[in-house]
Amino acid sequence: MSETPATSEESKDKSQLRQKRMIADHFENLARAKSEGKKVVYTFVPGNVTELLGALDLLPVLPEINALQSGMRKRSAGYIAEAEKAGHSEDVCTYVKCDIGMMKSGNIGPTGTKLPNPDLLLLSYTGCFTFMKWFELLKQEYDCPVAMLHVPYQTDGKITPEMRAYVVEQLQRDVIPALEKVAGKKLDLNELSRRLALSARAEEDLVRVWESARHRPSPIDGYFGGVYYVGPIFSSFRGTEDAALYYQELREEIDERVRERRGPMTPDGEATREKYRLVVEGPPNWTSFHDFWRMFSREGATVVASTYTRVGGLYDTGFRHDPSRPLESLAEYCLGCYTNLGLPTRLELLERYIRDYQADGFLINSVKSCNSFSVGQLLMLRKLEERTGVPGGFIESDLVDPRYFGKANIENRLQSFMQVIDARQNRGQPPEPTPPPQPHRVSLPVIGNGGQP
Ligand code: SF4
């Protein structure tokens, strides 16, 4: 998640320039952290408690963000090979292998500077078992303390008072004392609340940006463009003035696009037609991100909503961080992360997006790496088609392993999916029936061909 493409430095929007500077400053701060005596905490995107870290002057490092940035910069294949050489199986989540490989290759971060070793690993466990294994591996390498926040899974789609109290108790008893010990100071609850108020401001503006996609044409792409929009709020900046200003500027820029009836930016400039409105479930592929995006934008397909862009916080269902209930609100945030939701709740959310954003179709990108996302997706496909009457498509790729991005295969599937939409809308001739999706991984390209068909 860095600044959006297709724009020269001079033509970048204010929000893009701000995000670029924020990222650069953060990595410079990390590069100087050890010499300046600053402490560093590695933690995950879903269920992050960034405001708490910020209130204690701790600098966060998010391994998933480093992995995806390595993927976008075409460095992940080498890092994954490094991890596989060290014995990590082909089946392991490629974010993990990319991170391990990066660490073994000198821990050089996305901007080319060395990342500092962690002073603490903060494991916020929100539904993905891999998080636990990942930090077990990092613990062996770094030999630093680990604090764990166990977040109960939302099996029934509800946060009960007991669940909230259980998380708050862990924050008070385990997590805050562990962070205070590393920081060498006590938590100031007023400072935490100040940061949470800034988070709520940013969240309000981000929801306005998501909801702009109800317009025709949608002024945003809520998946490919959306991953840039969530950069600050999902990573190290939630609860900062900079993030609040970034979302204010972004909202103003998008409001202007709505007024001018302009479509979203794409890798090839501004979209000039909106032929298909899609909802997408599942993370994107990062190693061929722009090629993947172009497969949509060149067909006139705009993604009006996606679940991946909710993985670090589900604000459009009403949640906001609440400065008057700091710890309870952090607990509710962690409990409400997309990775922590059961299948029925995920289905309801997708159904709502399809209806609210008047989608012509929905697409599932099933990534090899992520069981947390991919489990149950074929069932979701069937159920969503039954419930909405809107056609669904199914493709397979991976997060940061280029061996699993079969360009021709994905392109063929997408084109037949769009023909199905055309046929439903009587735009063209009825297509040949699309073969049903195969069980996960069967149709992947041959490993070792560099992702080329
Ligand atoms: S399996 Fe999925 S949720 Fe878990 S660490 Fe990997 S990418 Fe993240």
Side-chain angles (χ1 to χ4, degrees):
M1 296 172 206
S2 52
E3 78 278 17
T4 29
T7 42
S8 67
E9 204 62 26
E10 307 79 62
S11 62
K12 278 193 170 104
D13 287 333
K14 239 159 85 181
S15 65
Q16 286 179 283
L17 292 170
R18 182 181 295 279
Q19 179 168 176
K20 190 177 178 193
R21 183 190 45 76
M22 286 158 70
I23 293 170
D25 287 353
H26 181 63
F27 281 99
E28 276 168 29
N29 283 337
L30 284 170
R32 293 194 307 265
K34 295 295 166 187
S35 63
E36 292 180 352
K38 295 240 172 80
K39 302 295 181 188
V40 176
V41 175
Y42 285 19
T43 192
F44 292 116
V45 173
N48 72 74
V49 285
T50 302
E51 299 88 348
L52 200 47
L53 302 186
L56 284 160
D57 291 325
L58 296 166
L59 291 173
V61 169
L62 297 134
E64 304 112 301
I65 304 275
N66 295 335
L68 78 84
Q69 293 264 10
S70 300
M72 286 181 113
R73 289 171 163 80
K74 312 277 185 212
R75 294 193 190 129
S76 54
Y79 291 152
I80 290 168
E82 200 61 44
E84 287 180 358
K85 252 192 273 162
H88 295 283
S89 141
E90 195 195 298
D91 286 339
V92 172
C93 167
T94 50
Y95 272 179
V96 180
K97 285 190 289 187
C98 186
D99 186 43
I100 301 279
M102 189 177 95
M103 182 179 66
K104 290 193 177 300
S105 314
N107 218 14
I108 305 300
T111 55
T113 51
K114 187 171 168 19
L115 291 172
N117 287 357
D119 296 290
L120 178 83
L121 297 169
L122 174 56
L123 168 55
S124 181
Y125 177 81
T126 50
C128 174
F129 189 68
T130 303
F131 289 145
M132 224 154 14
K133 296 298 179 200
W134 193 341
F135 271 12
E136 271 178 31
L137 292 166
L138 293 197
K139 162 112 183 84
Q140 286 165 16
E141 297 287 338
Y142 291 120
D143 193 25
C144 68
V146 182
M148 176 160 167
L149 180 64
H150 176 240
V151 179
Y153 200 62
Q154 268 206 56
T155 323
D156 301 326
K158 281 192 205 84
I159 298 175
T160 64
E162 292 76 18
M163 287 157 83
R164 188 185 307 112
Y166 175 65
V167 179
V168 168
E169 194 193 321
Q170 291 175 74
L171 286 170
Q172 289 168 325
R173 191 194 56 208
D174 303 322
V175 174
I176 293 173
L179 293 173
E180 287 176 336
K181 191 167 171 201
V182 171
K185 66 181 200 179
K186 282 279 176 208
L187 174 68
D188 175 352
L189 272 177
N190 290 331
E191 173 59 13
L192 177 61
S193 291
R194 186 187 73 82
R195 286 173 179 263
L196 292 172
L198 288 168
S199 300
R201 248 176 70 190
E203 289 154 5
E204 198 65 37
D205 283 331
L206 176 61
V207 170
R208 173 89 165 255
V209 169
W210 293 147
E211 296 196 334
S212 71
R214 291 171 190 255
H215 291 271
R216 284 177 189 264
S218 167
I220 61 163
D221 184 290
Y223 186 54
F224 296 104
V227 300
Y228 293 96
Y229 302 153
V230 293
I233 210 160
F234 277 18
S235 57
S236 316
F237 307 104
R238 213 181 56 222
T240 64
E241 296 277 357
D242 251 342
L245 287 171
Y246 168 82
Y247 285 101
Q248 186 185 323
E249 285 163 2
L250 179 66
R251 195 227 331 129
E252 287 166 2
E253 287 156 11
I254 301 298
D255 282 351
E256 192 179 327
R257 295 187 92 78
V258 171
R259 280 195 299 277
E260 293 172 358
R261 298 182 59 80
R262 287 162 64 195
M265 291 307 291
T266 77
D268 303 308
E270 188 171 293
T272 50
R273 64 188 178 131
E274 183 184 271
K275 189 170 174 197
Y276 308 103
R277 294 168 64 84
L278 304 180
V279 166
V280 175
E281 146 74 12
N285 165 272
W286 298 111
T287 48
S288 299
F289 184 76
H290 290 129
D291 280 346
F292 191 31
W293 188 348
R294 283 192 176 98
M295 289 181 199
F296 291 71
S297 59
R298 289 186 176 165
E299 297 293 329
T302 298
V303 181
V304 286
S306 64
T307 49
Y308 178 71
T309 52
R310 278 49 168 187
V311 76
L314 202 59
Y315 304 111
D316 49 359
T317 52
F319 171 80
R320 298 286 181 276
H321 282 92
D322 180 354
S324 69
R325 304 161 50 248
L327 299 189
E328 289 80 0
S329 153
L330 283 174
E332 285 162 9
Y333 163 75
C334 294
L335 285 156
C337 283
Y338 189 75
T339 48
N340 205 46
L341 305 180
L343 217 51
T345 318
R346 294 184 191 197
L347 266 172
E348 274 166 31
L349 189 70
L350 278 159
E351 186 181 345
R352 204 192 98 187
Y353 287 157
I354 292 166
R355 293 190 196 286
D356 287 0
Y357 291 90
Q358 298 182 314
D360 303 308
F362 67 92
L363 184 81
I364 294 176
N365 181 30
S366 186
V367 295
K368 170 208 163 278
S369 276
C370 183
N371 290 332
S372 181
F373 255 101
S374 303
V375 72
Q377 281 179 329
L378 284 177
L379 179 68
M380 285 168 112
L381 178 76
R382 274 205 304 278
K383 289 280 168 207
L384 280 172
E385 281 191 329
E386 274 167 29
R387 287 190 196 177
T388 63
V390 162
F394 195 91
I395 53 172
E396 293 165 294
S397 66
D398 189 48
L399 297 162
V400 289
D401 191 337
R403 295 172 297 183
Y404 291 89
F405 187 80
K407 192 174 171 189
N409 187 353
I410 293 172
E411 206 152 29
N412 282 343
R413 276 201 172 274
L414 274 176
Q415 281 170 0
S416 21
F417 168 55
M418 288 175 201
Q419 283 170 17
V420 172
I421 299 178
D422 282 340
R424 289 274 178 102
Q425 298 182 338
N426 297 322
R427 281 188 184 136
Q429 296 301 309
E432 291 294 309
T434 313
Q438 299 298 303
H440 198 50
R441 267 186 262 172
V442 168
S443 61
L444 289 172
V446 178
I447 305 258
N449 69 348
Q452 297 307 308

